Amino acid sequence: MKRWIVLATILLAIGGVVVWRVNQRMQSTSQLAGGKGANRTPLVETAKARPAVITESLQSVGSLESPFRVQISPLTSGRIEQMAYREGDTVHAKDVVARIDSSDADLQVIQSQSSVAEAESRLAQAKLGQNSTSVTSSANVTQQLAALTSARADLNQTQQNVSAQVAAASDTIIDATAKLNSAKAQVANASAIVGREQASVANSKVHLDRVTELYRQRFVAAQDLDDAKTAYQVQLSAVKVADAQLAAANQSVSSASAVLNGATQQKLIVERKANADVASAKARETQASQALKMATANTFQPAAYKENLAALQSVVVAARAALSQARARREQTVLRSSITGTVTARTADPGSLASPSTPIMTIQYLDWLFFNAAFPIETSGRIYVGQSVVVGLDGQPERPIDGTITDVNLVADPQSRQYTVRVKISNTDHKLRAGMFGHIQIITKVVHAEAAVPKEAVRQAGGKTTVVVVSTDKKAHVRDVVIGASDDKVQQILSGVTAGEVVVSGTYATLKDGQGVNVADSNKTGKGGGKGNRRGATAGAPAGGSR
């Protein structure tokens, strides 16, 4: 019997607590709705319809970019001997910025000069012996035979060098391919981790939704809900970490691919140069062989002496052409800037190996910059060259820049459906940096509105746009209005409300036409209407022009 009495007492206590909590909640709701009698006279915040100047504008984000950006890389492979500039240094057009080891090129020039001298000597000797062909023909045969032997030796040596160079380039490609395959394996592993973490996020979201519903039904404590939210945020962070790892793995793949491409290009260069060297050696062997045949023929046919002179003249021409080519290759070891600008990147140092596919220095022109921004294709009719704009940079928020549009791309990106707008910005003091992020505002329309109300006062529902006007007897009157231009604060009213009338700018209640209202004290709520976070039922979507 005592047990039943204790149980009944406990149940009565629990019921009393529940009734007390419900009563407290109802009282709190009543206070939020405007205190006692809120159902009869809801509390509202008001503002007057006033004339206003409304500025419509288009806004976007973008970044600064140099108009001229040159990446300097050598035309021939070699070890870097000198680099004269570092990041931040000023470079003028045609200044020497780097030098590549020219020992091989110098040797080729010397060899070519020797070949020219030898060919000219042969030609001169042939001309001197024009009156004594029979005497000099035998010596000429001996000389041409020696030249043929030398040419064949050069051909054999060149072929051996070609084999060694191609083998070395192939080994580099094999090593680069192995690194690329390793990087791809890392990408696959990172992708698997991303998938696993995304699955964990989905599971945490399901758990959070279930705990939220249980908390709404008061079956679980607020701590359980907070724990579920924390677990969900942790899983979201894990997904971000996994995405970062995947991005790093993809970067490794890109780097490995670049190395492989460079090695492949290097092999092609080696093969082309090797083939050219072999072809040149074969040509010299052929020329020496032909010269020997002609010299031999001259011993029996003096009439063929003129043809021999013509052949020797051709040898001289070919040797001079080879010398010009060797000098051009030597000149390519001196790297010069093609523009006047500032060094913004230096990716190599003296002693490192440079190749044609890898830039060693980047030079950018910074005396003026482009600010590039993208706009939706729907705005193309309101943007044109010469239009005034205001550019604000995140790095210098206190220094807005007035400018004009200098370029408008006539073609939109097919994926994003946006086109690029460029603004030319002076930077003679070099205080602006290429790559700075910022925003751009293009003023497209200025409207002098006779009557404008806070945007919170406009309500759109059921295909109608309405404003609640408060009469002098503190009655609410719902009026249909026609809206016009707007900005981020006010909305133009074309008809339905006139300047000077008082409108509701904020309330927690749904107002009906003719309903009495209690106007909030403006000293507490601020002039001209409600607080920014008290829009309630009167809050409406902005209408008017795009911004």
Side-chain angles (χ1 to χ4, degrees):
M1 186 66 176
K2 292 182 179 180
R3 182 179 301 174
W4 287 105
I5 293 174
V6 173
L7 181 60
T9 302
I10 294 174
L11 291 176
L12 287 174
I14 294 174
V17 172
V18 171
V19 171
W20 176 79
R21 289 293 297 164
V22 171
N23 185 43
Q24 290 294 322
R25 184 176 295 277
M26 292 178 64
Q27 289 179 1
S28 177
T29 303
S30 175
Q31 291 174 359
L32 290 175
K36 294 181 179 180
N39 293 332
R40 295 189 300 275
T41 56
L43 181 65
V44 299
E45 297 171 351
T46 60
K48 280 189 178 182
R50 305 176 184 272
V53 177
I54 300 176
T55 300
E56 292 187 352
S57 62
L58 298 173
Q59 297 181 359
S60 183
V61 296
S63 60
L64 292 177
E65 179 182 301
S66 171
F68 307 108
R69 181 174 180 270
V70 176
Q71 289 184 320
I72 297 179
S73 58
L75 295 177
T76 58
S77 299
R79 194 167 303 280
I80 300 175
E81 284 189 340
Q82 176 187 356
M83 293 192 71
Y85 299 94
R86 289 191 173 274
E87 291 86 346
D89 292 342
T90 299
V91 179
H92 296 88
K94 297 184 179 180
D95 281 355
V96 176
V97 298
R99 294 181 184 274
I100 307 299
D101 182 14
S102 61
S103 56
D104 291 342
D106 293 338
L107 180 59
Q108 290 180 359
V109 170
I110 294 173
Q111 291 176 345
S112 298
Q113 289 174 339
S114 176
S115 297
V116 170
E118 182 181 357
E120 290 177 344
S121 174
R122 292 175 183 173
L123 179 61
Q125 291 176 1
K127 289 179 179 180
L128 290 175
Q130 184 174 5
N131 296 326
S132 56
T133 303
S134 58
V135 177
T136 59
S137 293
S138 178
N140 193 24
V141 169
T142 303
Q143 182 180 6
Q144 296 301 333
L145 180 60
L148 177 59
T149 302
S150 177
R152 286 175 177 173
D154 290 342
L155 175 59
N156 184 45
Q157 183 63 38
T158 300
Q159 289 174 337
Q160 291 179 1
N161 293 338
V162 165
S163 298
Q165 292 174 357
V166 171
S170 299
D171 291 341
T172 302
I173 291 177
I174 292 173
D175 182 64
T177 302
K179 291 181 179 178
L180 177 59
N181 292 334
S182 176
K184 288 180 176 180
Q186 293 178 1
V187 169
N189 185 43
S191 298
I193 293 175
V194 169
R196 184 183 63 200
E197 295 299 339
Q198 288 176 343
S200 297
V201 167
N203 185 38
S204 296
K205 184 63 171 63
V206 172
H207 178 66
L208 175 60
D209 293 340
R210 183 166 60 250
V211 173
T212 301
E213 179 61 22
L214 292 175
Y215 177 77
R216 188 184 66 81
Q217 299 178 7
R218 301 188 178 276
F219 289 131
V220 297
Q223 182 62 41
D224 295 333
L225 178 59
D226 292 340
D227 291 342
K229 290 180 178 179
T230 301
Y232 178 64
Q233 293 299 326
V234 169
Q235 290 300 327
L236 287 178
S237 300
V239 169
K240 292 181 180 179
V241 171
D243 287 339
Q245 292 175 349
L246 178 58
N250 285 325
Q251 182 64 32
S252 297
V253 170
S254 300
S255 300
S257 298
V259 172
L260 178 58
N261 291 334
T264 303
Q265 292 296 326
Q266 181 65 21
K267 182 180 178 182
L268 292 176
I269 293 172
V270 169
E271 289 177 345
R272 285 196 292 266
K273 181 178 180 301
N275 292 334
D277 292 340
V278 171
S280 177
K282 288 183 177 179
R284 289 195 297 271
E285 179 191 27
T286 301
Q287 291 174 354
S289 178
Q290 293 296 328
L292 177 60
K293 290 181 180 180
M294 295 184 67
T296 304
N298 286 338
T299 58
F300 302 99
Q301 300 177 1
Y305 189 74
K306 291 183 178 180
E307 295 182 5
N308 183 37
L309 291 178
L312 292 175
Q313 183 65 44
S314 298
V315 172
V316 171
V317 172
R320 289 174 178 172
L323 176 60
S324 298
Q325 185 179 17
R327 287 173 175 169
R329 289 178 180 173
R330 182 173 61 182
E331 182 64 25
Q332 291 173 358
T333 61
V334 180
L335 306 184
R336 302 177 184 271
S337 174
S338 59
I339 64 170
T340 297
T342 302
V343 177
T344 59
R346 169 173 160 164
T347 57
D349 292 307
S352 57
L353 185 63
S355 62
S357 60
T358 305
I360 64 174
M361 183 177 292
T362 301
I363 300 174
Q364 299 190 54
Y365 183 82
L366 301 178
D367 287 350
W368 58 268
L369 302 171
F370 276 132
F371 184 85
N372 295 336
F375 287 88
I377 191 65
E378 294 79 8
T379 65
S380 59
R382 290 183 282 169
I383 296 179
Y384 52 87
V385 174
Q387 194 170 12
S388 298
V389 301
V390 177
V391 175
L393 300 175
D394 291 354
Q396 299 182 0
E398 75 287 348
R399 184 187 172 189
I401 302 171
D402 296 326
T404 56
I405 297 176
T406 54
D407 295 289
V408 177
N409 196 336
L410 300 180
V411 179
D413 182 83
Q415 300 296 328
S416 64
R417 302 296 298 166
Q418 293 186 333
Y419 62 98
T420 303
V421 173
R422 281 183 170 179
V423 179
K424 183 178 178 180
I425 297 177
S426 177
N427 188 35
T428 54
D429 55 2
H430 288 191
K431 290 185 177 180
L432 302 181
R433 301 287 187 268
M436 273 187 170
F437 188 79
H439 57 275
I440 182 174
Q441 181 182 26
I442 303 177
I443 298 175
T444 59
K445 187 178 181 181
V446 178
V447 177
H448 296 270
E450 295 182 359
V453 299
K455 297 185 71 173
E456 295 85 356
V458 180
R459 176 171 54 187
Q460 292 181 327
K464 292 184 177 181
T465 303
T466 60
V467 170
V468 179
V469 178
V470 179
S471 59
T472 56
D473 56 355
K474 295 185 179 181
K475 298 288 185 179
H477 300 280
V478 181
R479 294 186 188 177
D480 293 337
V481 295
V482 177
I483 59 177
S486 67
D487 58 18
D488 58 345
K489 294 181 179 179
V490 298
Q491 174 71 62
Q492 181 187 17
I493 304 298
L494 298 177
S495 65
V497 175
T498 59
E501 290 189 295
V502 179
V503 300
V504 175
S505 62
T507 182
Y508 285 105
T510 300
L511 302 178
K512 297 181 180 180
D513 193 59
Q515 182 179 3
V517 295
N518 184 18
V519 178
D521 186 357
S522 61
N523 292 328
K524 295 180 179 180
T525 59
K527 290 184 178 181
K531 299 176 182 178
N533 61 348
R534 297 187 62 186
R535 299 182 181 179
T538 63
S546 301
R547 297 183 300 281

